[in-house]
């Protein structure tokens, strides 16, 4: 059962509907293309003005919410759009990628390959979702709006300025240019639906004991992993998959790793072994860079594993085993052969002073490895028993670490959980429970691995939702104009 959050009671909702006011003071019944005399013959007054006005409230000023507001306003210029954000606009965009903003990923342009980077969502998003607006579309949009981008070797896409402000300023400036109302420091605490099917959105600003009600035809919830969005969704009949952390580092039991903090490996293969998964899942083996930290292990490989195993790790209280292959491109029999040859060639040298160069970056780990095998680095290669060489080979290929907890991935917090995708129409992002209610971004049960995939989900979902809302609003406005013309003819 989802938690029961408070919202407007029926009586309060009715009262709120009576006093709800549009958030943009300028009203609109007919476009400038329709003669004023025509509109003058239509029913007038503040009540009719509110009834005819098309309006959208976007709850959440992150990537998905702002992108959607721009798209909706572009398609329907006369649509009144307000974005309400309780904190600062695009705060996660600002800090992402170490302040550089990893906009998307340029190595996975085809939807079939792209979806494999979403532990939650890879099955549901295989359809038209990313075909509607994929990474290339995102890159073109930002380029067309003055943000030059670059794709790095690992596929991550950044602004050439290496400054997230380029992306933040672009989005906010475009929203303002189009006439989107950006309201920060306020939160949406609930909404009801009045007799005409319009939303009555309750907006609060606790710092000054402020409460207002906004009448809106459409609502888009793009609150990320905030409780605010889950509460809103549950109020309108949605179930909530309990959110748990995703994308985090691993705390390792061996405290001696702290002495190696900062040591990195450009390519390892790591396998996460979980009690909750009986068979081996291919996603729980990842290859790529890994970093040793003062508390354990990090880097893209670990972050991807944390995402794929997020729910099971949470259930197991972050207790697991991590098996690391430090030289994945060398077969174990070849590793043994290299060690035996090295012993013969460097028999008179100390083990610490003669490292097999074929093992590359493992050299920075060599002393720790010898210590693990109870070998003295000052002993000579000639005195190393064959059994120890076999043990070193096995450890290099299957080094097992005990995961005893998790750490956060900087300030970027991603969750697994939220509104189930089965309760959303992915072709429009509209709720299947409540007409004219839309969702986009991390409030849904979608999360990607590190590398720009979470932002791409936000851009795509925001684009689809904004397109749907803008199209609906444009059709409604067209009907108004046709009604005005009919009045003129009669």
């Amino acid at each position: 059962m989802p938690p029961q959050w408070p919202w407007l009671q029926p009586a309060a909702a009715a009262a709120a509907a009576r006093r709800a006011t549009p958030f943009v003071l300028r009203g609109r019944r007919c476009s400038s293309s329709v003669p004023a005399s025509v509109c003058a013959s239509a029913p007038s007054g503040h009540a009719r003005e509110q009834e005819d006005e098309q309006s959208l409230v976007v709850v959440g000023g992150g990537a998905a919410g702002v992108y959607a507001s721009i798209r909706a306003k572009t398609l329907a210029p006369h649509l009144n759009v307000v974005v309400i954000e309780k904190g600062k606009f695009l705060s996660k965009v600002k800090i992402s990628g170490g302040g550089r903003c990893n906009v998307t990923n340029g190595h996975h342009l085809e939807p079939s390959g792209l979806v494999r980077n979403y532990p939650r969502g890879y099955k549901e998003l295989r359809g038209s979702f990313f075909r509607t607006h994929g990474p290339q579309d995102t890159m073109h949009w930002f380029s067309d709006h003055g943000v030059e981008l670059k794709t790095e070797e690992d596929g991550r896409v950044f602004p050439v300025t290496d400054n997230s402000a380029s992306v933040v300023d672009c989005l906010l400036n475009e929203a303002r240019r189009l006439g989107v109302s950006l309201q920060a420091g306020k939160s949406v605490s609930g909404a009801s639906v009045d007799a005409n099917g319009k939303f009555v959105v309750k907006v609060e600003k606790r710092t000054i004991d402020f409460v207002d009600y906004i009448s809106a035809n459409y609502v888009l919830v793009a609150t990320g992993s905030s409780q605010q969005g889950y509460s809103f969704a549950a109020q309108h009949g949605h179930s909530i998959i309990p959110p748990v952390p995703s994308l985090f580092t691993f705390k390792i039991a061996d405290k001696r790793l702290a002495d190696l903090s900062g040591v990195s490996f450009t390519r390892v293969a790591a396998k996460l072994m979980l009690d909750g998964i009986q068979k081996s899942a291919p996603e729980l083996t990842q290859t790529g860079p890994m970093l040793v930290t003062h508390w354990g292990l990090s880097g893209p490989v670990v972050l991807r594993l944390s995402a794929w195993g997020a729910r099971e790790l949470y259930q197991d209280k972050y207790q697991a085993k991590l098996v690391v292959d430090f030289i994945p491109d060398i077969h174990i029999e070849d590793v043994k052969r290299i060690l035996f040859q090295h012993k013969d060639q460097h028999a008179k040298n100390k083990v610490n002073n003669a490292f097999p160069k074929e093992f590359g970056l493992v050299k920075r780990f060599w002393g720790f490895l010898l210590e693990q095998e109870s070998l003295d680095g000052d002993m000579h290669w000639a005195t190393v028993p064959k059994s120890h060489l076999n043990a070193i080979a096995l450890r290099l290929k299957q080094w097992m670490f005990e995961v005893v907890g998790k750490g956060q991935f900087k300030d970027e917090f991603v969750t697994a959980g939220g509104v189930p995708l089965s309760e959303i129409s992915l072709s429009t992002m509209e709720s299947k429970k409540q007409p004219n209610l839309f969702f986009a971004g991390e409030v849904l049960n979608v999360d990607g691995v590190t590398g720009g995939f979470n932002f791409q989900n936000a851009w795509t979902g925001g684009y689809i939702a904004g397109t749907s809302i803008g199209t609906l609003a444009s059709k409604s406005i067209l009907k108004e104009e046709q009604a005005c013309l009919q009045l003129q003819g009669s």
Side-chain angles (χ1 to χ4, degrees):
M1 289 290 291
Q4 299 300 307
W5 292 288
W7 55 78
L8 291 171
Q9 298 301 317
R18 287 193 295 272
R19 64 178 184 275
T21 56
F23 45 79
V24 178
L25 293 179
R26 61 180 186 277
R28 176 189 141 12
R29 286 195 299 273
C30 299
S31 73
S32 56
S33 63
V34 180
S37 59
V38 177
C39 290
S41 64
S44 61
H46 182 68
R48 175 58 190 267
E49 196 165 290
Q50 281 185 234
E51 182 182 336
D52 289 346
E53 188 174 67
Q54 290 286 296
S55 52
L56 161 66
V57 170
V58 178
V59 188
V66 174
Y67 204 64
S69 72
I70 291 170
R71 178 61 178 168
K73 190 71 171 172
T74 300
L75 291 181
H78 296 296
L79 175 68
N80 285 324
V81 181
V82 63
V83 185
I84 298 173
E85 167 58 43
K86 64 181 179 180
K88 294 182 178 180
F89 281 97
L90 301 170
S91 58
K92 190 174 283 190
V93 174
K94 184 177 181 180
I95 64 173
S96 73
R100 298 167 63 206
C101 186
N102 185 182
V103 175
T104 185
N105 193 286
H107 282 183
H108 297 272
L109 301 180
E110 289 299 319
S112 58
L114 183 61
V115 295
R116 289 197 290 269
N117 293 281
Y118 294 87
R120 264 65 51 184
Y122 70 97
K123 292 180 180 178
E124 297 89 341
L125 302 180
R126 285 180 296 187
S128 62
F129 187 75
F130 287 119
R131 290 191 183 93
T132 303
H133 192 81
Q136 283 184 314
D137 300 304
T138 297
M139 290 187 278
H140 287 151
W141 190 92
F142 279 104
S143 297
D144 291 344
H145 288 80
V147 180
E148 191 178 350
L149 302 172
K150 61 180 179 179
T151 303
E152 299 193 340
E153 278 189 26
D154 59 2
R156 293 181 300 166
V157 177
F158 294 95
V160 295
T161 60
D162 281 328
N163 191 337
S164 61
S166 300
V167 177
V168 171
D169 292 345
C170 169
L171 290 166
L172 295 183
N173 289 339
E174 180 64 7
R176 293 188 183 105
R177 185 188 71 80
L178 292 169
V180 174
S181 175
L182 302 173
Q183 300 187 16
K186 298 179 181 179
S187 64
V188 172
S189 56
S192 63
V193 180
D194 66 18
N196 296 317
K198 294 185 72 173
F199 293 95
V200 180
V201 183
K202 184 179 180 182
V203 181
E204 297 185 65
K205 188 172 183 178
R206 291 189 176 88
T207 55
I208 57 172
D209 197 25
F210 167 92
V211 177
D212 197 10
Y213 294 90
I214 294 176
S215 177
N217 301 80
Y218 316 98
V219 171
L220 167 64
V221 180
T223 50
S225 55
S226 167
Q227 187 71 25
Q228 176 189 16
Y230 303 144
S231 175
F232 197 105
Q235 173 188 346
H236 292 280
H238 285 279
S239 55
I240 305 296
I241 297 172
V244 300
S246 182
L247 287 187
F248 48 83
T249 57
F250 292 162
K251 291 183 179 179
I252 303 298
D254 198 325
K255 295 180 180 178
R256 291 174 294 178
L257 275 179
D259 296 332
L260 298 168
S261 180
V263 173
S264 62
F265 301 90
T266 54
R267 180 176 165 81
V268 304
K271 180 179 181 180
L272 185 63
M273 301 177 68
L274 298 162
D275 291 337
I277 298 180
Q278 299 300 321
K279 61 181 181 179
S280 178
E283 298 84 6
L284 293 181
T285 298
Q286 296 286 334
T287 302
M290 188 179 77
L291 172 69
V292 181
T293 70
H294 64 275
W295 64 82
L297 299 171
S298 183
V301 158
V302 170
L303 295 172
R304 288 198 293 266
L305 288 173
S306 76
W308 282 102
R311 302 212 74 89
E312 290 78 10
L313 282 165
Y314 176 81
Q315 292 167 4
D316 294 341
K317 299 180 179 179
Y318 303 101
Q319 309 291 306
K321 290 180 174 61
L322 182 71
V323 180
V324 179
D325 180 350
F326 285 95
I327 40 177
D329 298 321
I330 306 177
H331 191 274
I332 189 167
E333 294 304 322
D334 292 326
V335 175
K336 292 177 182 178
R337 178 181 53 78
I338 291 169
L339 285 170
F340 294 148
Q341 288 179 352
H342 201 79
K343 176 182 176 179
D344 294 337
Q345 294 169 2
H346 298 271
K348 296 180 180 180
N349 293 330
K350 292 182 179 180
V351 178
N352 252 347
N353 298 335
F355 172 80
K357 62 182 180 180
E358 294 90 342
F359 299 161
L361 290 173
V362 177
K363 182 176 183 179
R364 302 175 68 183
F365 225 40
W366 187 244
F368 185 63
L369 171 60
L370 296 176
E371 193 177 330
Q372 292 289 104
E373 295 303 325
S374 302
L375 291 173
D376 184 352
D378 288 330
M379 67 190 300
H380 292 85
W381 275 98
T383 61
V384 179
K386 182 179 178 180
S387 59
H388 276 274
L389 294 180
N390 285 327
I392 289 174
L394 187 61
R395 190 175 289 274
L396 283 171
K397 296 294 291 180
Q398 299 179 21
W399 198 325
M400 184 173 290
F401 295 95
E402 292 286 338
V403 179
V404 296
K406 74 171 187 68
Q408 278 196 8
F409 177 38
K410 298 182 181 178
D411 296 314
E412 301 169 44
F413 190 64
V414 176
T415 56
V419 177
L421 292 180
S422 60
E423 298 178 3
I424 304 295
S425 174
L426 289 172
S427 61
T428 62
M429 305 309 289
E430 186 175 12
S431 164
K432 294 179 181 178
K433 306 285 186 178
Q434 173 64 55
N436 296 329
L437 174 62
F438 297 80
F439 294 89
E442 202 187 336
V443 68
L444 297 168
N445 184 33
V446 179
D447 62 288
V449 299
T450 183
F453 301 104
N454 284 295
F455 273 140
Q456 185 55 54
N457 168 51
W459 309 132
T460 300
Y463 181 90
I464 294 173
T467 300
S468 302
I469 295 166
T471 303
L472 288 171
S474 295
K475 288 180 180 178
S476 181
I477 290 168
L478 181 61
K479 286 181 181 179
E480 289 179 34
E481 293 174 351
Q482 290 173 344
C484 287
L485 291 171
Q486 287 176 353
L487 284 170
Q488 183 187 33
S490 63

